[in-house]
């Protein structure tokens, strides 16, 4: 942002020079212009799902030696507005996006335009958009043609880094709040992201058509929580299109143009990337300075690799190639990158001959939640591997590590940005792979501060991250253990405050803040150990508040914690794959639950089995699987023994696959039952 | 015992001289709530057709098996006592017309202890039946109702008495434990009541909930509860003790006899002998004629009586499925069945089927089996391999380990060809 500001002084010069260039170039009058009069649109991915490609679009995307079909130089920075829409789940972000597209002629007004972006089941179910979408809209306002770049952001805090990068490509945000539900946890989180980025915030109250809508109350919440004057709010119904025109006007009038210059060296922010099997990586970029054209040699700041620009263009429903992209504009670039890891979100691109300082804020993705994934049957390993490879092609934020478990065989330990990210990945995997995958319960990356000089030397650092519990270093060589923390925001009607506070304190959370945002709704902030919310916290919160509470969190670093390694013993022998790192306060509950699940899933055997949870040599929980007192079919003649033989043979086959812990035979299912995520 | 001495190696290619046969009468008057056997409520009186077909199939299969002598015949069901005595007579005639059916052959009929069944008992015996197996199931009238039986305990007692008059020393009673609401105490009482009236043979059934039965559904829906696993175990042990104290020798997991009144038919079955199954849904194990006549087949007759009748009328038999048993499969059956007997599998018996590898070689080497031997559940000595008193109760927990070991050993050691010494030929049929 600082760099942008520096460029600001040159703005007048830039505008003037741009104007000269615009006037020199012919403007291609397109049919679509005469149809839609004031608007034209450039969309990106929407188009793939909509059969509205008109003949005229096709003309543009056909590469002939005709002159440039679309001259972007006629949109200097002061005719550009870059904005995004942020909202809590289901507050109508996608619906508003659809309306904006319709009103600017991007897509035809049909019933089908209902959140056309959200195609994953988890997206539809939870009313969220996971992958950022971008569209360029043409909008005529008071006789001037504007290029409005709608940079749609992922709708969840797991992707807050992506959101923050998208936001850094914008100068303003539309903050949507449901006029019925009011401010929710994610509204707050999103607001602060935009606020900290010093963007112009346009508050929009959506769903005013609903019977229970109370825009006045919500406006006062906005005033109280965000310190935004209530008069700034625009009341709309995205569903019916009410006042959406006012939103477009506000975008032009209130949001400042990007403070950039086409005369500066080329510099662009990668804010999203996708993988295309035929063309490689398609990176979405915001041009922060200068211009870029086909054939330019560019460098990615993070990896320092050089590429040649094969294609650039605007993000329309389909990619729409152009000859150039100019400062302030948003579009896509294809430059022979083979892997999304080469176009990481937040990275900077510049021209090879004009190196510039990278844009601030780049962070490689950091996994916060880990889960093991194993094929149900080892023969399915190659299939699952290629499915995971395919998925990670498009999502550089998933970390993949080969792993193998004595019980579950060869598999992977995957790292995700957060819980939703994991869920989205799993669902994509299911769709893509169409077979059962064993997903283990999520774990978080703990850290240990080593005290032994020898170990520090061995690891090359004092602080190590522990992902696999089997590698948990002993207390004696550690000065302290650390666990990842998150700052959680909960908004709920005050009737549920008591229950919510009990739940939070049960999860080792510390209350940081509690305010009434109006006379009924409370906003609470808690510092949680991440581990306490990864499994079932959200579901419990939802159910104890009858669905009224909303929850969101942001990462809050690491904090010292009394972590211990818990063993699970079968007849006194430790089971390696069940070693768990747990907070001392939670050891008993966790240990007991694991013992119970094991008891239920290990079949009775000829002798008694003690299932124990232990910390060091101390047993903290025990379950007993009693020995079989009788196991013989008490009737076997006359009929066919084929069935009995088959059953016995199956048991014999199963016996081969069982894991032996001492004299105890443990079926794979038992491990799956203990290790896998509980079904909701 | 007379059986093993007459037995011929099924892989030898010689025509076996002894086969027992199982005849199934598929009809019942009603469906018991726990039963998932193949049975049909007769729509009309077709016993004449049925008789013809049973005779015809008996003829066909006996021919195919090329046997010369039958040691036992068992009429099971369904409810074979619903058949007319003349049907039984006709079938036995068919058998004796074709092969040797010595007067000493055991001919068992399963009987439902109803007044109707009782009225025909004498005629059945006149037709050639010399052993009666009576499906008493319970001496509690309430329980009989829940089980869907069509007799009362009083009737059962009467039938037992009549049966003993007709076939003294050759009457078996079937009783069932693990019934809904049954307790160990009530079972003990019932057993002692039964012991006062029964003959020399008792078969114990444990009620097993079979999918698709009415009782299964009732238990699923929580309308009926059956005793817990451990209670069942206690009932079984209690019955074993009680029967032993009353002079009954347990000779198989669920069979008890005194005065040497063992069921020869079932003994043959557990000893892995060949048998022919006749009638809808019947199963057989024999080496059919042709193909060199060395491979034993598992045969299943068509299930639905009407279809079966049609098939028998068309081609003389209603064999729906025949699967060749390879050497390993045969040994597996011999093992699984043999271990159910308290005497287990003796060395000679095993050698008939596995001349190349003795019991010690197959089972004596692994740690799994060793553990079972050490714990005293299994016994492997100069008599053979068998379960101990404590081990028999846990047989199904031990069989997977034994089967695994058998498979490993058989596959490790290729079959030697014994045809040179004129005794055995290689069983070439390998398991898939």
């Amino acid at each position: 942002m600082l760099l942008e500001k520096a460029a600001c002084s040159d703005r007048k010069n830039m505008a003037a020079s741009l104007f000269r260039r615009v006037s020199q170039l012919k403007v291609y009058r397109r049919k679509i212009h005469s149809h839609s009069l004031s608007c034209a649109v450039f969309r990106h991915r929407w188009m793939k799902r909509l059969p509205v490609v008109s003949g005229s679009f096709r003309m543009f995307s056909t590469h002939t030696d005709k002159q440039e079909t679309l001259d972007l130089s006629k949109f200097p920075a002061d005719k550009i507005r870059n904005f995004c829409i942020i909202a809590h789940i289901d507050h109508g972000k996608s619906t508003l996006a659809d309306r904006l597209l319709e009103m600017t002629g991007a897509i035809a007004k049909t019933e089908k335009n209902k959140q056309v972006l959200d195609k994953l089941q988890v997206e539809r179910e939870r009313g969220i958009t996971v992958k950022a979408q971008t569209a360029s809209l043409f909008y005529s306002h008071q006789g001037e043609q504007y290029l409005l770049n709608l940079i749609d952001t992922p709708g969840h805090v797991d992707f807050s880094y992506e959101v923050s990068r998208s936001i850094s490509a914008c100068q303003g945000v539309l903050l949507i709040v449901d006029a019925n539900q009011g401010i929710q946890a994610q509204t707050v989180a999103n607001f602060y992201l935009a606020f900290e980025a010093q963007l112009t915030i346009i508050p929009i109250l959506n769903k005013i058509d609903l019977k229970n809508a109370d825009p006045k109350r919500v406006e006062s919440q906005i005033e109280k929580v965000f310190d935004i004057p209530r008069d700034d709010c625009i009341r709309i119904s995205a569903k019916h299109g009410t006042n959406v025109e006012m939103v477009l006007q506000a975008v032009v009038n209130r949001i400042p143009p990007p403070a950039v210059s086409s005369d500066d060296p080329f510099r662009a922010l990668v804010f999203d990337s996708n993988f295309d099997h035929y063309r490689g990586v398609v990176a979405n970029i915001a041009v922060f300075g200068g211009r870029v054209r086909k054939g330019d040699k560019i460098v990615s700041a993070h990896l320092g690799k050089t590429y040649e620009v094969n294609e650039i263009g605007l993000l329309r429903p389909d990619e729409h190639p152009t000859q150039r992209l100019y400062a302030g504009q948003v579009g896509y670039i294809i430059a022979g990158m083979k892997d999304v890891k080469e176009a990481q979100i937040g990275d900077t691109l510049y021209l090879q001959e004009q190196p510039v300082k990278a844009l601030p804020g780049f962070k490689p993705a950091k996994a916060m939640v880990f889960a093991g994934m194993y094929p149900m049957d080892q023969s399915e390993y190659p299939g699952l591997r290629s499915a995971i490879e395919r998925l990670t092609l498009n999502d550089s934020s998933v970390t993949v590590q080969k792993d193998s478990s004595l019980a579950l065989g060869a598999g992977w330990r995957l790292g995700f940005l957060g819980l939703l990210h994991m869920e989205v990945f799993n669902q994509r995997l299911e769709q893509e792979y169409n077979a059962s995958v064993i997903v283990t319960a999520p774990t978080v990356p703990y850290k240990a501060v080593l005290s032994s000089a020898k170990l520090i030397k061995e690891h090359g650092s004092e602080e190590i991250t522990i992902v696999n519990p089997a590698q948990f270093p002993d207390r004696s060589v550690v000065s302290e253990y650390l666990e990842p923390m998150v700052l959680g925001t909960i908004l709920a009607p005050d009737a549920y405050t008591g229950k919510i506070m009990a739940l939070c304190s049960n999860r080792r959370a510390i209350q940081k803040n509690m305010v009434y945002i109006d006379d009924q709704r409370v906003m609470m902030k808690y510092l949680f150990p991440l581990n306490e919310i990864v499994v079932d916290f959200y579901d419990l919160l939802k159910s104890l508040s009858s669905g009224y509470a909303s929850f969101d969190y942001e990462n809050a670093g690491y904090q010292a914690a009394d972590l211990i390694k818990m063993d699970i013993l079968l007849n006194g022998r430790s089971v390696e794959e069940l070693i768990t790192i747990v907070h001392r306060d939670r050891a008993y509950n966790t240990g007991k639950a694991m013992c119970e699940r094991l008891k239920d899933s290990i079949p009775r055997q000829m002798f008694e089995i003690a299932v124990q949870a232990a910390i060091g040599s101390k047993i903290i929980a025990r379950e007993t699987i009693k020995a079989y007192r009788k196991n013989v079919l008490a009737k076997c003649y006359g009929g066919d023994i084929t069935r009995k033989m088959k059953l016995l043979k199956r048991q014999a086959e199963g016996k081969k696959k069982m894991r032996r812990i001492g004299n105890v035979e443990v079926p794979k299912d038992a491990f799956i039952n203990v290790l896998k995520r509980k079904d909701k | 015992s007379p059986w093993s001495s007459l037995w011929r190696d099924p892989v030898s290619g010689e025509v076996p001289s002894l086969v027992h046969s199982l005849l199934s009468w598929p009809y019942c008057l009603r469906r018991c709530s726990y039963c998932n056997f193949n049975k049909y409520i007769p729509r009309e009186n077709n016993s004449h057709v049925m008789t013809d077909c049973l005779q015809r199939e008996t003829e066909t299969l006996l021919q195919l098996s090329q046997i010369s002598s039958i040691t036992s015949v068992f009429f099971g069901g369904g409810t074979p006592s619903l058949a007319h005595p003349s049907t039984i007579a006709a079938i036995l005639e068919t058998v004796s017309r074709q092969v040797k059916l010595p007067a000493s052959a055991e001919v068992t009929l399963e009987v439902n202890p109803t007044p109707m069944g009782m009225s025909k008992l004498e005629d059945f015996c006149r037709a050639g039946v010399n052993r009666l197996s009576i499906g008493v199931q319970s001496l509690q009238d309430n329980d009989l109702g829940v089980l869907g039986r069509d007799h009362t305990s009083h009737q059962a007692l009467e039938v037992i008495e009549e049966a003993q008059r007709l076939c003294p020393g050759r009457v078996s009673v079937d009783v069932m434990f693990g019934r809904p609401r049954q307790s160990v105490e009530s079972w003990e009482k019932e057993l002692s009541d039964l012991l006062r009236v029964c003959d020399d043979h008792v078969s114990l059934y444990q009620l097993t909930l079979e999918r698709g039965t009415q009782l299964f559904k009732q238990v699923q829906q929580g309308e009926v509860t059956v005793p817990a696993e451990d209670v069942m175990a206690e009932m079984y042990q209690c019955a074993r003790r009680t029967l032993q104290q009353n002079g009954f020798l347990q000779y198989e997991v669920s069979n008890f006899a005194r005065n040497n009144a063992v069921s020869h038919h079932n003994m043959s079955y557990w000893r892995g002998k060949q048998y022919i199954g006749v009638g809808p849904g019947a199963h057989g194990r024999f080496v059919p004629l042709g193909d060199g006549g060395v491979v034993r087949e598992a045969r299943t007759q068509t299930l639905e009586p009407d279809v079966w009748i049609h098939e028998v009328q068309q081609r003389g038999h209603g064999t729906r499925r025949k699967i060749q048993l390879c050497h390993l499969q045969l040994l597996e059956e011999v093992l699984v069945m043999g271990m159910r007997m308290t005497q287990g599998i003796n060395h000679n018996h095993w050698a008939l089927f596995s001349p190349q590898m003795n019991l010690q070689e197959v089972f004596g080497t692994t740690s799994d089996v060793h553990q079972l031997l050490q714990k005293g559940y299994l016994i492997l000595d100069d008599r053979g391999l068998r379960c101990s008193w404590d081990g028999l109760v846990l047989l199904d927990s031990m069989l997977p380990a034994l089967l695994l070991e058998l498979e490993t050993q058989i596959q490790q050691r290729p079959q030697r060809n014994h045809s040179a010494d004129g005794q055995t030929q290689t069983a070439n049929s390998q398991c898939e």
Side-chain angles (χ1 to χ4, degrees):
Chain A
M1 301 312 280
L2 277 173
L3 290 163
E4 271 179 58
K5 275 176 191 149
C8 202
S9 57
D10 286 334
R11 229 173 91 197
K12 273 189 181 162
N13 285 342
M14 176 199 75
S17 71
L18 266 179
F19 183 71
R20 274 198 301 279
R21 221 174 296 125
V22 171
S23 55
Q24 282 162 10
L25 289 161
K26 276 190 197 167
V27 176
Y28 184 72
R29 302 292 303 176
R30 293 170 301 154
K31 270 187 206 158
I32 195 165
H33 269 185
S34 53
H35 288 320
S36 55
L37 301 172
S38 62
C39 314
V41 73
F42 302 87
R43 291 187 303 155
H44 180 27
R45 261 170 250 156
W46 284 285
M47 197 58 144
K48 289 178 186 162
R49 268 165 253 133
L50 289 170
V52 295
V53 188
S54 70
S56 53
F57 273 117
R58 221 160 278 202
M59 251 167 65
F60 300 126
S61 44
T62 315
H63 272 276
T64 61
D65 42 8
K66 267 189 261 171
Q67 64 190 111
E68 186 175 4
T69 52
L70 174 69
D71 179 14
L72 285 179
S73 64
K74 71 172 181 164
F75 291 103
D78 64 341
K79 290 288 182 289
I80 295 172
R81 301 291 183 271
N82 294 325
F83 69 105
C84 55
I85 309 175
I86 54 182
H88 187 75
I89 294 160
D90 256 349
H91 281 198
K93 185 171 87 162
S94 301
T95 313
L96 177 60
D98 290 348
R99 276 314 85 70
L100 294 177
L101 291 169
E102 282 172 13
M103 295 190 61
T104 54
I107 51 176
K109 281 189 191 178
T110 69
E111 279 299 303
K112 281 181 193 156
N113 297 341
K114 277 184 82 181
Q115 302 176 19
V116 284
L117 309 183
D118 303 342
K119 65 171 175 181
L120 267 183
Q121 192 192 346
V122 59
E123 291 178 313
R124 281 193 305 266
E125 272 171 12
R126 296 178 65 157
I128 48 163
T129 309
V130 170
K131 193 80 178 157
Q133 310 284 338
T134 295
S136 298
L137 320 169
F138 283 132
Y139 178 63
S140 244
H141 179 61
Q142 295 176 346
E144 297 276 2
Q145 183 89 327
Y146 290 88
L147 177 61
L148 309 184
N149 296 311
L150 164 55
I151 298 167
D152 195 5
T153 58
H156 193 268
V157 68
D158 277 3
F159 309 99
S160 60
Y161 173 68
E162 281 83 344
V163 176
S164 79
R165 293 307 86 202
S166 294
I167 277 177
S168 73
C170 298
Q171 286 72 46
V173 298
L174 307 179
L175 178 68
I176 305 186
V177 187
D178 186 317
N180 173 30
Q181 290 186 11
I183 291 176
Q184 297 292 320
Q186 218 183 307
T187 321
V188 180
N190 283 325
F191 168 82
Y192 282 109
L193 279 175
F195 183 75
E196 280 158 22
Q198 300 180 1
L199 303 194
T200 300
I201 294 165
I202 303 174
I204 290 169
L205 305 191
N206 189 22
K207 307 194 188 181
I208 55 165
D209 56 304
L210 291 186
K211 219 171 90 191
N212 294 328
D214 188 354
K216 258 180 103 170
R217 181 175 65 95
V218 179
E219 278 166 1
S220 71
Q221 285 180 354
I222 287 172
E223 203 166 59
K224 176 153 187 190
V225 179
F226 302 139
D227 203 19
I228 297 175
R230 60 181 65 204
D231 295 340
D232 284 6
C233 296
I234 305 173
R235 297 180 180 186
I236 67 161
S237 163
K239 191 173 153 197
H240 296 115
T242 317
N243 292 343
V244 176
E245 185 68 34
M246 284 171 68
V247 175
L248 285 167
Q249 287 163 11
V251 167
V252 172
N253 293 330
R254 294 197 212 170
I255 297 175
V260 294
S261 163
S262 286
D263 296 332
D264 286 347
F266 168 68
R267 190 168 57 153
L269 170 80
V270 176
F271 64 87
D272 196 7
S273 62
N274 297 288
F275 184 78
D276 180 303
H277 271 282
Y278 301 101
R279 299 175 303 167
V281 174
V282 180
N284 293 3
I285 57 167
V287 184
F288 275 55
R291 70 194 77 171
V292 66
R293 63 179 171 185
K294 199 175 155 183
D296 281 347
K297 288 268 195 313
I298 57 163
V299 179
S300 84
H302 176 53
L303 292 175
K305 283 173 104 171
T306 305
Y307 307 92
E308 186 182 318
V309 178
N310 301 331
E311 186 180 325
I312 46 169
L314 283 186
L315 298 163
R316 321 169 90 192
D318 273 327
E319 287 131 9
H320 179 76
T322 61
Q323 289 299 317
R324 289 182 174 78
L325 277 180
Y326 297 93
Q329 294 173 351
V330 169
Y332 72 94
I333 189 162
I334 299 172
M337 293 168 173
K338 297 278 179 278
D339 186 335
V340 276
K341 291 196 166 56
E342 294 176 79
Q344 287 197 36
I345 293 170
D347 200 358
T348 305
L349 304 178
Y350 56 83
L351 288 177
Q352 193 182 19
E353 65 266 27
Q354 283 180 300
V356 294
K357 226 177 121 186
L359 294 158
F362 173 74
K363 281 189 291 186
K366 192 175 73 187
M368 286 313 289
V369 175
F370 290 87
M373 290 201 187
Y374 299 88
M376 208 46 134
D377 189 290
Q378 283 297 306
S379 65
E380 295 162 2
Y381 183 89
L384 184 56
R385 181 182 56 206
S386 65
I388 289 176
E389 275 168 5
R390 274 200 300 280
L391 283 177
T392 47
L393 273 180
N394 247 321
D395 188 350
S396 63
S397 52
V398 179
T399 63
V400 181
Q401 240 185 313
K402 272 192 187 165
D403 201 0
S404 81
S405 149
L406 290 168
L408 306 178
W412 299 267
R413 179 167 287 270
L414 272 63
F416 303 98
L417 300 171
L419 284 174
L420 182 85
H421 187 209
M422 179 170 85
E423 202 154 304
V424 168
F425 187 91
N426 289 349
Q427 231 175 61
R428 288 214 168 109
L429 194 63
E430 265 168 39
Q431 284 179 1
E432 184 106 342
Y433 179 54
N434 209 8
S436 40
V437 180
I438 303 165
V439 181
T440 65
T443 57
V444 303
Y446 293 108
K447 286 181 176 177
V449 181
L450 300 171
S451 58
S452 134
K454 187 172 158 249
L455 275 179
I456 293 172
K457 204 175 161 195
E458 223 170 80
H459 289 278
S461 69
E462 196 186 350
E463 206 177 86
I464 58 164
T465 302
I466 312 145
V467 173
N468 186 343
Q471 291 152 4
F472 191 72
D474 191 73
R475 191 87 190 84
S476 61
V477 296
V478 164
S479 60
E480 64 178 347
Y481 297 110
L482 304 170
E483 68 176 330
M485 305 297 289
V486 293
L487 185 64
T489 303
I490 299 168
L491 271 104
D494 59 358
Y496 302 106
T497 312
K499 281 186 188 170
I500 292 171
M501 287 170 73
L503 172 68
C504 291
S505 78
N506 187 32
R507 296 303 177 104
R508 299 193 285 128
I510 293 159
Q511 197 179 69
K512 289 290 177 189
N513 186 346
M514 177 165 157
V515 287
Y516 274 81
I517 62 166
D518 60 25
D519 53 357
Q520 284 160 19
R521 291 188 65 85
V522 183
M523 178 168 80
M524 288 171 273
K525 295 222 173 210
Y526 277 92
L527 190 64
F528 286 95
L530 175 60
N531 186 46
E532 296 289 338
I533 61 164
V534 290
V535 179
D536 55 357
F537 177 79
Y538 186 71
D539 297 322
L540 277 175
L541 181 71
K542 276 282 174 199
S543 75
L544 69 77
S545 66
S546 315
Y548 283 112
S550 65
F551 175 70
D552 208 342
Y553 66 88
E554 57 192 286
N555 293 331
Y558 276 76
Q559 197 169 295
D562 190 3
L563 301 176
I564 45 177
K565 184 170 97 170
M566 184 173 70
D567 286 308
I568 298 292
L569 312 177
L570 291 179
N571 277 355
R573 297 239 195 157
S574 171
V575 186
E576 192 190 317
E577 44 272 76
L578 298 181
I579 295 172
T580 309
I581 300 172
V582 59
H583 191 274
R584 191 178 295 277
D585 296 351
R586 309 286 284 164
Y588 173 74
N589 284 336
T590 312
K592 189 162 172 46
M594 285 180 81
C595 290
E596 280 167 3
R597 280 168 95 169
L598 270 178
K599 184 193 172 174
D600 292 341
S601 44
I602 297 178
R604 293 174 89 172
Q605 296 179 19
M606 293 176 71
F607 41 81
E608 188 173 288
I609 303 167
V611 184
Q612 296 165 308
I615 295 161
S617 56
K618 195 178 150 215
I619 304 295
I620 57 165
R622 176 186 169 126
E623 293 287 332
T624 304
I625 301 169
K626 284 200 199 147
Y628 256 130
R629 292 192 51 204
K630 170 176 179 293
N631 183 26
V632 62
L633 185 68
K635 166 178 118 178
C636 191
Y637 61 85
D640 186 22
I641 57 157
T642 310
R643 213 174 107 193
K644 175 72 178 162
M645 289 304 300
K646 266 190 189 151
L647 179 72
L648 285 168
K649 285 294 280 179
R650 212 168 37 237
Q651 285 171 353
E653 281 306 306
K655 208 175 154 69
K656 277 193 213 164
K657 290 183 192 149
M658 287 208 205
R659 190 118 141 74
R660 281 223 176 185
I661 311 290
N663 57 352
V664 183
E665 285 176 338
V666 187
K668 191 172 170 182
D669 281 356
F671 287 102
I672 295 172
N673 280 344
V674 177
L675 294 172
K676 80 166 181 198
R677 246 153 41 101
K678 275 190 196 141
D679 295 327
K680 283 180 189 149
Chain B
S1 107
W3 314 101
S4 47
S5 58
L6 289 167
W7 175 247
R8 292 292 175 273
D9 183 358
V11 299
S12 69
E14 286 176 30
V15 175
S17 58
L18 274 173
V19 164
H20 58 128
S21 90
L22 170 80
L23 281 115
S24 134
W25 182 263
Y27 298 115
C28 289
L29 279 180
R30 56 195 286 193
R31 200 170 284 273
C32 297
S33 65
Y34 57 89
C35 181
N36 73 341
F37 259 46
N38 180 43
K39 66 204 174 273
Y40 295 83
I41 312 301
R43 281 192 310 265
E44 65 214 68
N45 188 354
N46 63 350
S47 78
H48 182 65
V49 180
M50 200 65 202
T51 306
D52 280 353
C53 289
L54 285 170
Q55 284 180 281
R56 179 99 191 269
E57 192 174 49
T58 304
E59 254 169 47
T60 312
L61 296 181
L62 280 175
Q63 247 163 35
L64 190 66
S65 72
Q66 272 207 320
I67 57 154
S68 56
S69 177
I70 285 274
T71 59
S72 66
V73 180
F74 193 98
F75 291 95
T79 311
S81 55
L82 285 180
H84 198 272
S86 63
T87 299
I88 304 296
I91 294 167
L92 290 174
E93 255 166 52
T94 306
V95 174
S96 58
R97 251 202 318 273
Q98 220 165 336
V99 296
K100 208 170 127 201
L101 181 64
S104 61
E106 179 186 282
V107 181
T108 308
L109 176 77
E110 281 188 339
V111 178
N112 247 15
T114 58
M116 206 252 275
M118 181 154 118
S119 66
K120 292 196 275 186
L121 279 190
E122 194 157 359
D123 289 338
F124 280 129
C125 290
R126 239 175 252 139
V129 170
N130 55 24
R131 186 172 178 273
L132 294 165
S133 170
I134 300 164
V136 173
Q137 317 309 355
S138 166
L139 289 178
Q140 314 277 335
D141 286 338
N142 274 349
D143 288 13
L144 288 170
V146 172
L147 297 175
R149 302 291 300 189
D150 55 359
H151 68 269
T152 64
S153 60
H154 178 70
Q155 289 165 353
L157 295 175
E158 281 182 352
V159 173
I160 294 171
E161 205 184 317
E162 170 72 357
Q164 273 178 292
R165 187 181 67 80
L166 292 166
C167 306
R170 304 193 80 168
V171 175
S172 174
V173 292
D174 286 352
V175 270
M176 186 181 277
F177 67 96
R179 303 178 325 238
R181 292 190 302 270
Q182 197 180 23
S183 69
V184 178
E185 292 72 31
S186 68
W187 169 235
E188 259 182 311
K189 163 93 173 45
E190 200 174 340
L191 265 179
S192 62
D193 287 349
L194 189 76
L195 280 165
R196 271 199 293 277
V197 296
C198 71
D199 196 41
D200 288 343
H201 194 278
V202 174
S203 289
L204 288 184
Y205 290 153
Q206 179 180 320
L207 177 63
T208 39
L209 288 177
E210 301 282 358
R211 219 165 255 287
T213 60
Q214 192 195 339
L215 194 64
F216 182 86
K217 214 158 99 190
Q218 288 171 326
V219 171
Q220 286 280 298
Q221 290 169 349
E223 292 163 21
V224 170
T225 50
V226 289
E229 236 176 89
D230 283 353
V231 178
M232 294 270 205
E234 183 53 39
M235 288 176 176
Y236 181 63
Q237 294 291 34
C238 157
R240 289 176 88 191
R241 277 193 310 268
T242 310
L243 284 161
Q244 200 186 30
Q245 284 157 9
N246 284 271
F248 281 85
L249 208 66
Q250 179 174 21
Y251 67 100
E252 194 261 356
V253 171
S254 48
N255 285 279
F256 301 78
R258 65 183 167 196
N259 304 326
N260 213 11
V262 296
S263 159
H264 297 306
H265 176 84
N266 284 336
M267 282 297 271
S268 312
Y269 181 64
W270 295 314
R271 284 163 172 275
K273 303 214 166 170
Q274 300 191 66
Y275 58 100
I276 294 171
V278 177
H283 299 270
R285 292 279 189 284
F286 65 90
V287 179
L289 184 64
D291 295 338
V294 290
V295 182
R296 187 187 281 208
E297 282 182 357
R299 289 178 159 243
T300 311
Q301 309 309 108
T302 294
L303 211 59
E304 308 84 354
D306 293 348
V307 183
W308 174 83
I309 286 171
H310 181 74
E311 286 173 1
V312 173
Q313 285 169 344
Q314 291 294 306
R315 52 188 165 100
H317 66 88
T319 302
R320 177 53 64 94
R321 206 176 42 145
K322 26 184 194 178
I323 297 165
Q324 297 199 335
L325 295 178
C326 69
H327 186 59
L328 174 62
Q329 282 171 324
L330 181 61
L331 289 183
E332 283 170 348
E333 289 197 3
V334 169
L335 175 72
V336 168
M337 305 302 278
M339 291 303 285
R340 291 183 62 85
M341 295 182 289
T342 48
Q343 60 176 239
I345 303 164
N346 68 36
H347 291 295
N348 289 337
H349 176 200
W350 181 257
L352 286 176
F353 298 93
S354 172
Q356 299 92 349
M357 217 183 211
N358 65 34
L359 287 169
Q360 189 68 44
E361 287 169 315
V362 177
F363 300 109
T365 51
T366 72
S367 65
D368 261 10
V369 178
H370 217 75
Q371 242 181 24
L372 297 172
L373 293 169
Q374 225 167 20
K375 289 207 151 101
Y377 292 129
L378 269 187
I379 300 164
L380 179 57
D381 59 10
D382 51 4
R383 275 165 59 193
L385 180 71
R386 63 189 177 280
C387 294
S388 67
W389 173 268
D390 289 335
L392 192 65
V393 195
L394 298 170
L395 177 61
D396 287 1
S397 288
M398 301 195 280
L399 282 174
L402 294 173
L403 284 168
L404 263 189
E405 205 37 51
L406 178 61
E407 188 187 319
T408 314
Q409 294 297 337
I410 293 295
Q411 281 171 356
Q412 263 173 19
R413 209 191 269 202
Q415 294 297 297
R416 274 170 295 159
N417 194 327
H418 279 241
S419 57
D421 59 16
Q423 297 245 324
T424 356
Q425 286 176 349
T426 309
N428 276 324
S429 60
Q430 289 295 313
C431 291
E432 297 295 307

